[in-house]
Amino acid sequence: MDRKGAQAAAGPAMISGRQLVDHTPGPVSLAVLAVLAVTALAALRYLDQHVAQAGLWIFLGLTLTTGFFHGALDIVLLQREFSGTRRLTTAVVLYAGSAMLVALVGARSGWLLILLLLVMSVWHFGEPYGRWEQGLRNRLAWVQRIVAGGAPVMLPVLLSPAAVQAVLPAAVALDAPLAFGIWQTLAWLWVGVCCVGLAAFRRRLLTTALVLEVVLVFASNLLLSPLMAFSIYFGVLHASAHILRVAAKVRRGEAAEGSDDSPTGLVQPTRTAVVVTCFASLVLLIVLIGYLRGMSVSAGEQHGLLNAVIVALTAVTLPHLVLVSRHARWLGGARSG
C-alpha cells in the first residue's frame, strides 16, 4: 500500500499531534471543526458550572472507559513484538510488575506520584513529535515534543492554580502542598523551554499541528476546570487517537509480528485480545454507571476513589509509554520524524 493509501486507511486516527501536518483540513473543514469545538466547549462549560462534581465524574468515566481501552490495547503491541507463548508471558509479567512497582511507590508518596505522572505525561503526550531512534540530534523535534506534551498537564496549574490546589488534597491527601509546589515549578520550567525554543527555532517551532494542539488545550483549560479539561484531552483526544491508530493497523493486517514494510497479516490471538478488551471496557462502563446512579460521593469517598484512579493511571503509564515509544514509528506510519 502506498503512502496515500495508508493515510486513507488510517482515517481519523492520523489526525493527532504531528500527523496534522499532513492532514490539514481545508477552509470549510476548519470552519466546521471550529463550530463543533466552540459548541462542545460551551456545553462542557455549562456542565462544569451547573452540575456538582461534573469534572470528577467525567474524569472517572473517561479514564475507566476510553482511557482503559486504549491502555488495554497494549496486548496488541506486545503480541506484535514478542512471538511465542513463553516470550509473550514474560513480557506481560514484566509489564504488570513495572506497573505494580510504580503503584507501590505512588501509594506511599503523593508528591512523588504527581512528579512521576507529570514527567511521564510530557514524554508520552508529545510522542508524535520525537522518536527514540532520533537520539538527541533533532533538537527541534524534542523541543516540539516538550511543548506539545507539556501543554495538557502544565497549563492547568498556570491558568487555574486555585482550582488545582482545591482538588489536590482529594488526590494526594497530606502531600498536596509539596505536590503543588513541584507541579508549579515544573510548569514554569516548561514555560522557559517554550520561550527558549521559540527564540531558537522561531517559525520552525510553530507547525500547524503544534499550534492547533496547544491552542485547543489552552482554550479548554481557560474555559473548563482542570479535571474537566484534562479529561477531555486524555479521554477524547489522546485515547481515541491511539485506539483509532491501532484499529487502522488491525484492519490492514499489520498487528501481527513482522517488519514495518512487510505486514504478515492479522492473527487470531490479536482478534481475541481486541474482543476481550472491548468486553472489559463495557463491563467497566456498566459498573461505573451503576456506581453513579446508586451512590453519593462524600468527601471521604471522593478522596479514596480519585486517589485510587490516579495511582492506577500513573502505574500503567510507565509500561504503556515504553511500549508505545518502541512502536511509535509503526503506529505513526512510514515516517519516523
Side-chain angles (χ1 to χ4, degrees):
M1 183 181 294
D2 59 18
R3 182 179 178 184
K4 291 184 178 179
Q7 291 173 345
M14 300 298 289
I15 305 177
S16 172
R18 184 165 183 172
Q19 283 79 8
L20 275 168
V21 175
D22 298 327
H23 298 270
T24 303
V28 176
S29 298
L30 280 175
V32 172
L33 289 174
V35 170
L36 291 175
V38 170
T39 303
L41 284 175
L44 289 169
R45 180 175 173 82
Y46 178 86
L47 189 66
D48 219 1
Q49 293 181 335
H50 294 85
V51 177
Q53 301 172 338
L56 171 66
W57 292 129
I58 288 183
F59 171 74
L60 293 174
L62 289 175
T63 299
L64 295 178
T65 52
T66 57
F68 168 82
F69 188 87
H70 105 283
L73 285 177
D74 282 355
I75 189 63
V76 176
L77 305 184
L78 286 169
Q79 286 176 325
R80 177 179 182 270
E81 184 171 3
F82 301 100
S83 60
T85 303
R86 181 175 298 179
R87 292 186 68 211
L88 180 60
T89 302
T90 302
V92 171
V93 170
L94 290 174
Y95 187 104
S98 63
M100 290 179 62
L101 180 62
V102 175
L104 290 173
V105 172
R108 295 180 64 88
S109 174
W111 68 267
L112 188 55
L113 172 72
I114 294 297
L115 177 61
L116 288 173
L117 183 58
L118 290 174
V119 172
M120 291 191 297
S121 295
V122 173
W123 176 271
H124 185 53
F125 293 155
E127 183 67 57
Y129 294 88
R131 308 296 187 211
W132 278 10
E133 66 265 22
Q134 289 178 329
L136 296 175
R137 291 172 295 175
N138 193 340
R139 296 179 182 178
L140 173 60
W142 287 106
V143 173
Q144 289 177 323
R145 178 173 189 160
I146 293 173
V147 172
V153 292
M154 299 306 177
L155 283 175
V157 77
L158 296 175
L159 297 177
S160 306
V164 171
Q165 283 181 304
V167 76
L168 266 180
V172 297
L174 298 178
D175 283 349
L178 181 56
F180 179 79
I182 292 173
W183 193 344
Q184 201 169 49
T185 300
L186 290 176
W188 284 114
L189 287 175
W190 173 77
V191 171
V193 172
C194 294
C195 293
V196 171
L198 189 59
F201 300 107
R202 300 182 183 179
R203 291 187 178 182
R204 287 193 297 153
L205 180 71
L206 302 177
T207 63
T208 302
L210 187 67
V211 172
L212 288 177
E213 189 167 339
V214 174
V215 166
L216 181 59
V217 173
F218 181 86
S220 63
N221 277 279
L222 196 62
L223 297 173
L224 305 174
S225 64
L227 262 182
M228 180 80 81
F230 178 78
S231 302
I232 299 305
Y233 175 84
F234 174 68
V236 177
L237 300 180
H238 173 75
S240 297
H242 180 78
I243 291 168
L244 291 172
R245 278 196 295 268
V246 175
K249 295 296 182 179
V250 170
R251 287 198 304 270
R252 289 158 53 192
E254 297 181 27
E257 183 178 12
S259 67
D260 291 341
D261 298 324
S262 302
T264 57
L266 180 63
V267 292
Q268 185 61 37
T270 297
R271 292 182 180 178
T272 303
V274 172
V275 171
V276 170
T277 302
C278 290
F279 177 75
S281 294
L282 179 61
V283 170
L284 274 176
L285 179 60
I286 293 173
V287 170
L288 179 66
I289 291 175
Y291 182 88
L292 293 176
R293 293 183 61 184
M295 298 188 69
S296 61
V297 181
S298 67
E301 291 170 339
Q302 185 181 129
H303 169 262
L305 186 60
L306 184 59
N307 178 256
V309 171
I310 291 178
V311 169
L313 184 63
T314 306
V316 298
T317 295
L318 176 61
H320 174 69
L321 72 84
V322 171
L323 195 60
V324 170
S325 289
R326 289 175 65 89
H327 293 81
R329 185 178 181 183
W330 177 75
L331 286 169
R335 64 186 291 175
S336 61

